[in-house]
Amino acid sequence: MQTPLSPATLTSPSMDMLFSVIESIHDNVALVDKNGIMLWVSTCFERNYGVSRDAIIGHSTYELEKAKIFCPSVAAIVLRTKRVVTLTELNREHKYNIVTGIPVYDDKGEITFVVSFTVDLRYSAELYYEYEKINTLLMETRTGIIPPVAGIVCQSQAMADIMRTIQKLAEVDTSILITGESGVGKNVVAKLMHQFSKRSAGPFVEINCAGIPDALLESELFGYEYGAFTGARTKGKLGRIELASGGTLFLDEIGELPFHLQAKLLQVIQEKKILKLGGNHPVDVDFRLVTATNQDLQSLVDMKRFRSDLFFRLNVLPVAIPPLRERPEDILPLCASILEEMNSKYGTSNKLAQETEQALRRYSWPGNVRELRNMIERLVVTAEQSVILPQTLPAYILGQNVQPVAKSEASLTLTEALERTERKLVMDAYARHKTTTATAKALGISQPTAARKITKYKQIQE
């Protein structure tokens, strides 16, 4: 027959030994009698709740709940429901803990004690991230893939296959065309291609063909000699192609390369020589070319906006990166990797609550890894406590059908109505054309103006 516990037995030598063992556990443990009186708590209670043991033992759990030492009281619920209860409680320092209360019965089936133990969410988060590291290592062992680097996570089979492809293609000097939606990490893949190649000791030179006005792009790519045009540097300038000699040249948004420069680039690829603006003597160059685009280049060829001969030169070894919504297995590992990076950047130690992770995993991430990175950084910067709770997420992530309450048309001022109309026109055009240059052309405005308005209205949507 089990010896019933009583307050007197709590001071026996055998119980002292038991409590010594309990004290060594990281989680806080408490004993509450059938009347709700706190009989004993472990010393880490003070750390978790900011209250000394002396101020707790002998007091009613109902009083402590009313005083917001912890809320709700798991022991009170166990005494009322007579069953095991697990819940999330809030302490008076506005920190959350996961608490489990377990009833202890006597021979008559009546509750004698409630044993509760509190799990510190910060500790749980650390365990979770350790688990993720171990899981990643196991995955690497099974697949033979190198560890995730520079924002690449290979939890999904799709990304594991891409990593193997990168390693193989890095061994050759043939042109690589990386395709995928905006924000999937095409530039990261390009850098990995360089790092794994025989040219890794050479430079990695990147240029975004959509980010530089057409008038300046040619001089950026090819460079110029002294006096080539008004305002040119007195000593001339080396172009990005020449700077990449001995290494890798990465041309992002290659679909935005002006048509007249496509022929010059094709010639450089074929002859490995460039002619600077204002120059008379070709310069030898030796580089590995990697290009990327979020557009369908074949469609651009069909529309006579991209040279077919250049397309075939670039598309020798294509690498297609799937969007994040098609590889949801990568979302949480990416969150962990980005969160670690942001914690290091801002000197924080933030963790994601499990409910937050679930919400992030459910979201479709139309902006892909770039959108996810921006969201994690935003959460870290604005976090008011170490555990990031789902309440801090925007409504569109918590529930994609949640829409902000809009002002009625009748109450809009003229300025507000014009801005709403402009926003719709700009964002609709951007959704159709995908790039700032094409959007500007469709709307009849300059590219810098289109880029500025798109950035502005994206922020409003968020």
Side-chain angles (χ1 to χ4, degrees):
M1 180 183 295
Q2 182 182 5
T3 303
L5 292 173
S6 66
T9 63
L10 297 179
T11 58
S12 67
S14 60
M15 294 302 290
D16 285 342
M17 183 178 295
L18 175 60
F19 288 143
S20 295
V21 173
I22 295 175
E23 290 283 19
S24 67
I25 301 174
H26 187 276
D27 298 337
N28 176 72
V29 179
L31 292 180
V32 181
D33 72 7
K34 62 182 180 181
N35 298 313
I37 303 300
M38 305 290 292
L39 298 178
W40 183 89
V41 294
S42 51
T43 53
C44 64
F45 188 97
E46 184 170 348
R47 182 188 68 235
N48 287 346
Y49 293 89
V51 182
S52 68
R53 298 176 74 190
D54 293 340
I56 294 298
I57 296 175
H59 290 268
S60 164
T61 188
Y62 304 104
E63 296 174 17
L64 299 173
E65 180 182 33
K66 189 174 182 180
K68 303 296 184 183
I69 302 299
F70 44 71
C71 186
S73 166
V74 70
I77 298 175
V78 171
L79 290 170
R80 186 177 71 251
T81 62
K82 301 183 185 303
R83 61 181 177 83
V84 177
V85 175
T86 298
L87 53 80
T88 301
E89 68 173 15
L90 178 68
N91 64 30
R92 68 177 186 176
E93 294 185 338
H94 302 289
K95 294 181 180 178
Y96 290 85
N97 296 306
I98 297 176
V99 189
T100 297
I102 303 172
V104 178
Y105 298 95
D106 60 17
D107 293 337
K108 297 179 180 180
E110 298 295 328
I111 294 180
T112 306
F113 291 93
V114 174
V115 180
S116 68
F117 57 91
T118 303
V119 178
D120 188 333
L121 283 179
R122 291 169 295 181
Y123 180 65
S124 299
E126 290 173 5
L127 290 178
Y128 171 78
Y129 286 111
E130 288 302 318
Y131 163 78
E132 285 297 326
K133 289 179 182 178
I134 293 172
N135 197 39
T136 300
L137 289 173
L138 289 174
M139 183 273 295
E140 292 160 11
T141 303
R142 293 194 302 267
T143 62
I145 297 175
I146 63 168
V149 290
I152 288 286
V153 169
C154 338
Q155 194 72 26
S156 65
Q157 187 59 49
M159 290 307 296
D161 292 342
I162 286 176
M163 286 298 292
R164 281 192 288 268
T165 301
I166 290 173
Q167 290 176 294
K168 290 180 181 179
L169 298 186
E171 299 174 0
V172 298
D173 247 5
T174 311
S175 297
I176 305 291
L177 175 61
I178 305 170
T179 60
E181 293 180 5
S182 179
V184 294
K186 297 185 288 294
N187 60 332
V188 176
V189 171
K191 290 174 183 176
L192 286 179
M193 289 275 192
H194 174 70
Q195 292 172 14
F196 298 156
S197 73
K198 301 173 185 177
R199 297 175 174 269
S200 58
F204 177 84
V205 179
E206 177 179 357
I207 186 169
N208 189 320
C209 298
I212 300 176
D214 295 357
L216 300 178
L217 185 56
E218 183 172 7
S219 64
E220 282 293 322
L221 282 172
F222 297 94
Y224 55 81
E225 299 287 0
Y226 163 69
F229 53 85
T230 303
R233 295 179 183 176
T234 56
K235 294 183 180 180
K237 178 183 177 181
L238 296 178
R240 302 287 182 95
I241 297 175
E242 189 174 359
L243 289 172
S245 196
T248 300
L249 174 66
F250 175 49
L251 300 181
D252 198 5
E253 302 292 357
I254 188 66
E256 297 295 326
L257 188 68
F259 201 82
H260 72 281
L261 291 182
Q262 294 176 20
K264 293 193 67 172
L265 178 61
L266 177 63
Q267 186 176 9
V268 171
I269 295 172
Q270 293 173 335
E271 300 177 2
K272 295 296 182 182
K273 296 178 182 291
I274 62 167
L275 187 65
K276 297 181 182 180
L277 294 178
N280 298 313
H281 304 289
V283 177
D284 292 328
V285 288
D286 173 30
F287 60 90
R288 199 270 182 85
L289 180 63
V290 178
T291 56
T293 183
N294 60 6
Q295 300 186 72
D296 183 350
L297 290 187
Q298 182 61 65
S299 295
L300 295 182
V301 170
D302 296 340
M303 293 186 290
K304 308 300 183 184
R305 290 174 52 192
F306 201 87
R307 293 179 63 102
S308 59
D309 47 4
L310 178 59
F311 170 64
F312 295 130
R313 275 286 188 175
L314 300 179
N315 197 37
V316 178
L317 297 173
V319 176
I321 306 177
L324 199 50
R325 63 181 174 276
E326 293 180 8
R327 44 189 178 98
E329 309 96 310
D330 292 333
I331 292 176
L332 292 187
L334 273 169
C335 286
S337 175
I338 297 169
L339 184 61
E340 183 178 358
E341 178 188 339
M342 294 304 165
N343 278 333
S344 176
K345 178 179 178 180
Y346 293 105
T348 55
S349 55
N350 292 315
K351 309 291 183 184
L352 298 174
Q354 186 175 3
E355 295 86 351
T356 307
E357 291 178 333
Q358 292 171 355
L360 293 175
R361 196 180 192 278
R362 287 194 301 266
Y363 183 56
S364 61
W365 299 108
N368 294 294
V369 181
R370 182 184 296 123
E371 183 184 7
L372 177 61
R373 170 177 290 274
N374 291 341
M375 179 52 59
I376 296 296
E377 183 169 16
R378 168 180 168 180
L379 293 174
V380 168
V381 170
T382 60
E384 296 182 355
Q385 56 189 43
S386 59
V387 178
I388 298 174
L389 301 173
Q391 295 92 314
T392 61
L393 293 172
Y396 66 86
I397 289 183
L398 288 173
Q400 295 187 51
N401 293 326
V402 177
Q403 298 293 334
V405 178
K407 207 173 180 181
S408 67
E409 294 288 344
S411 63
L412 291 177
T413 65
L414 178 59
T415 301
E416 289 171 334
L418 290 173
E419 184 177 39
R420 176 178 289 189
T421 302
E422 182 184 76
R423 179 169 73 244
K424 187 177 188 312
L425 289 172
V426 170
M427 298 312 294
D428 286 352
Y430 185 60
R432 289 195 307 273
H433 299 287
K434 308 299 183 185
T435 67
T436 57
T437 301
T439 300
K441 185 176 181 180
L443 295 175
I445 57 179
S446 68
Q447 187 273 337
T449 299
R452 186 174 65 255
K453 290 183 181 296
I454 290 168
T455 301
K456 171 186 174 182
Y457 294 137
K458 269 186 175 180
Q459 292 173 345
I460 292 175
Q461 287 182 344
E462 292 177 0

